[in-house]
Amino acid sequence: MAILLDTNLGQKDTELYITRTEDGRVIVAIPTIHWSAELQLSDDEVKQNEYIQASLQFHMYEGDITELADKILEHTAKC
């Protein structure tokens, strides 16, 4: 199941897609910046946050990585 959410990325709005799988994973994607990541639901939020930040940094995202990771996890927790 994929959920489309509006998320503010600095100066513009974009879409955050969240897909939960039956085997305990969450796939998050932001097509605007050509980014996606796979999270394990069994991991704690700190580990998930660190993984998202490392992935965004590797992807060379130029915005506030900490704020974006927090927003992604906030939306993921609601789904």
Side-chain angles (χ1 to χ4, degrees), residues 42-61:
S42 59
D43 290 343
D44 64 34
E45 189 174 316
V46 171
K47 187 172 182 178
Q48 290 176 344
N49 194 301
E50 289 172 352
Y51 177 76
I52 290 170
Q53 288 188 41
S55 176
L56 288 166
Q57 187 168 1
F58 178 78
H59 185 73
M60 298 181 0
Y61 175 69

Side-chain angles (χ1 to χ4, degrees), residues 21-39:
T21 66
E22 293 181 9
D23 62 351
R25 297 176 299 135
V26 175
I27 312 299
V28 291
I30 302 174
T32 304
I33 62 171
H34 308 287
W35 175 84
S36 65
E38 178 181 314
L39 307 173

